[in-house]
Amino acid sequence: MICWNMAGAYGYKRDRHASAWQWLNEQDADVALLQEVVPHPERLGPWGSVVFRGKYKQHGCAVLVKAGGYRAWEPTDQQPGLTRVRGAAAIARPDEEGGLWFISVHSDAASFEEINRAYPTWYADLPPREQIPRSSASAMWEIEPVVAELRPVLNGARFVLGGDLNSARMFDTGDRGENARLFDNLHAQGYIDTRPRHSPEEVQTYFKKRTRPLQLDHVFADAATETSVRSWSVRREVAEQLGLSDHAPIEMVIA
């Protein structure tokens, strides 16, 4: 499995994105969770199932499954927050009972409140948030309604959820600790981080120049699936040497 922000949002260049698609298809991955991806139809042939959800303009989130057998799951009135931020997650439901669900997530770096200040009315009509665990008493990020409202849907199912959360423990300073609280809230809701058994510390996935060595990309699973993760690594050469994105892919092997 590969989880990767392909950098198709800002400064999109078709040739570079085509090279990123070529690299992805050469890896012979069974599953890909992609963010900031622009679908190139000519590159989708190897994938039996493609679930894409547009976010802004032409890019969005996608789940690709080589063997097929997946279809898009759409939120309903029971998930008003997820419906409102629909483009933040591509959700692939297995046709086979008991199969793994796959969710690709892109959570903006800014909170709803910050976005709404910059773009008035963008998130002015958000649904009630009282039942959503939040890392901040005064703000909320896209990832929070996504995981909270998916939790009942995924109850008892095996799943993998991953993507660019624009969050890292390294961001925390002083006594704020909002990023740590985000990860604690995820764990409490049954989203188990797949990294800690393979690396006790966060591993850099973001390689933009003059930035700290941040891990902005993360992959979570239910408890049973997390124990089946045999390896977890960051393919940093994709960002550092090949320059295909400012994010490096996370590569996992699940038994």
Side-chain angles (χ1 to χ4, degrees), residues 26 74 77 85 95 139 163 186 225 227 229:
E26 288 173 351
E74 300 293 349
D77 292 343
V85 299
D95 293 333
L186 285 166
T225 301
T227 63
V229 177

Side-chain angles (χ1 to χ4, degrees), residues 10 34 41 52 59 73 85 117 124 131 133 139 167 178 215 245:
Y10 303 103
L34 306 176
F52 174 76
H59 74 87
W73 178 89
V85 299
R117 283 195 293 270
Q131 303 303 315
S167 183
E178 290 181 358
Q215 182 183 336
S245 171

Side-chain angles (χ1 to χ4, degrees), residues 181-198:
R181 284 196 293 276
L182 170 64
F183 291 109
D184 289 344
N185 288 343
L186 285 166
H187 188 90
Q189 294 175 84
Y191 297 90
I192 311 303
D193 194 342
T194 59
R195 173 194 50 79
R197 284 198 302 109
H198 307 274

